[in-house]
Amino acid sequence: MESKSWKESYTELERLVLPPDTNIFNALYGGRLVEWIDNVAGIVATRHSRRRNVTGSIDSLFFLVPIHLGDIVTITGKLNYVTRSTMEIEVNVTTEEGLTGTRRVATKSFLTYVAVDQDGKPTDVPGLKIETEEDKRIFEEAEIRSKNRLALLAKIKADLKKQDTY
Ligand SMILES: CC(=O)SCCNC(=O)CCNC(=O)[C@H](O)C(C)(C)COP(=O)(O)OP(=O)(O)OC[C@H]1O[C@@H](n2cnc3c(N)ncnc32)[C@H](O)[C@@H]1OP(=O)(O)O
């Protein structure tokens, strides 16, 4: 399978925050934002792999500033790292005040998606082309996160096995 550049799957989504998206403080629901983030990451994973994909994990997600009714939210998804069946996707969210144009970073998160076959079993995806020094730096940083993530996953599974619940 031929490797692909991150540019082939880069995805950007813009949403105007409307009343059904907000809580009683006229701010965007966190859960709604997580849905949009997962959606963008899912598009990146599909464009890269051209396979069915499932969300494997969402790393810690910090909500840095509130997003208000009438704001314009921009969500970008970029592929950072690929192993055999797994893709790390970085999703950044900025919020823009409709009336002033002031933009602020609202969240940054890393999601992993696993490509699966018809039976839901992990399956191979194309590798990621490393074309620049910046691509290399991003790949190496993601590799460290991946190792930490898999160590945490292994610990969670081992603990659950001890309790006989996995
Ligand atoms: C888009 C959506 O909304 S999907 C809905 C939410 N997501 C889900 O329901 C997914 C539920 N989970 C599953 O189906 C399975 O646990 C899977 C497909 C993620 C993994 O299946 P397993 O048989 O456990 O995979 P296995 O242990 O063989 O690992 C396969 C690969 O996935 C990676 N992996 C497995 N679980 C995870 C995880 N939770 N997070 C990140 N990576 C994972 C492994 O590192 C391995 O990577 P590699 O092939 O690139 O080396």
Side-chain angles (χ1 to χ4, degrees):
M1 230 180 301
E2 207 176 317
S3 296
K4 294 167 78 173
S5 162
W6 63 266
K7 292 177 195 131
E8 295 177 62
S9 54
Y10 182 80
T11 298
E12 188 168 314
L13 172 76
E14 288 189 309
R15 299 293 297 250
L16 178 65
V17 179
L18 296 171
D21 304 319
T22 58
N23 59 26
I24 53 170
F25 309 111
N26 280 341
L28 179 67
Y29 283 123
R32 184 60 50 88
L33 185 58
V34 174
E35 182 187 333
W36 293 347
I37 289 170
D38 195 29
N39 202 269
V40 166
I43 294 171
V44 174
T46 302
R47 285 183 168 152
H48 181 76
S49 67
R50 296 298 171 195
R51 299 268 185 278
R52 296 150 58 131
N53 296 284
V54 293
T55 315
S57 64
I58 303 179
D59 289 6
S60 52
L61 187 60
F62 296 98
F63 295 95
L64 302 174
V65 294
I67 298 175
H68 297 109
L69 181 66
D71 281 1
I72 300 158
V73 176
T74 304
I75 307 165
T76 60
K78 177 182 173 292
L79 187 63
N80 279 343
Y81 179 73
V82 171
T83 52
R84 188 186 76 84
S85 66
T86 306
M87 297 156 276
E88 183 197 87
I89 297 147
E90 175 176 344
V91 180
N92 290 313
V93 178
T94 56
T95 184
E96 174 186 341
E97 268 181 28
L99 299 184
T100 62
T102 304
R103 288 173 71 101
R104 300 176 81 187
V105 174
T107 71
K108 179 188 180 86
S109 55
F110 299 99
L111 293 86
T112 48
Y113 265 69
V114 182
V116 293
D117 63 17
Q118 299 279 8
D119 302 319
K121 299 279 175 233
T123 188
D124 291 15
V125 300
L128 180 61
K129 262 189 207 160
I130 304 295
E131 296 169 310
T132 64
E133 280 302 310
E134 176 73 351
D135 290 350
K136 184 166 176 282
R137 183 188 63 76
I138 289 170
F139 190 90
E140 287 170 357
E141 284 181 13
E143 192 163 43
I144 296 168
R145 275 191 301 276
S146 170
K147 284 190 179 135
N148 291 336
R149 195 179 291 127
L150 291 177
L152 179 61
L153 178 63
K155 184 179 180 325
I156 290 170
K157 283 184 178 176
D159 288 349
L160 291 175
K161 268 189 191 139
K162 268 189 232 153
Q163 298 158 16
D164 224 10
T165 50
Y166 179 72

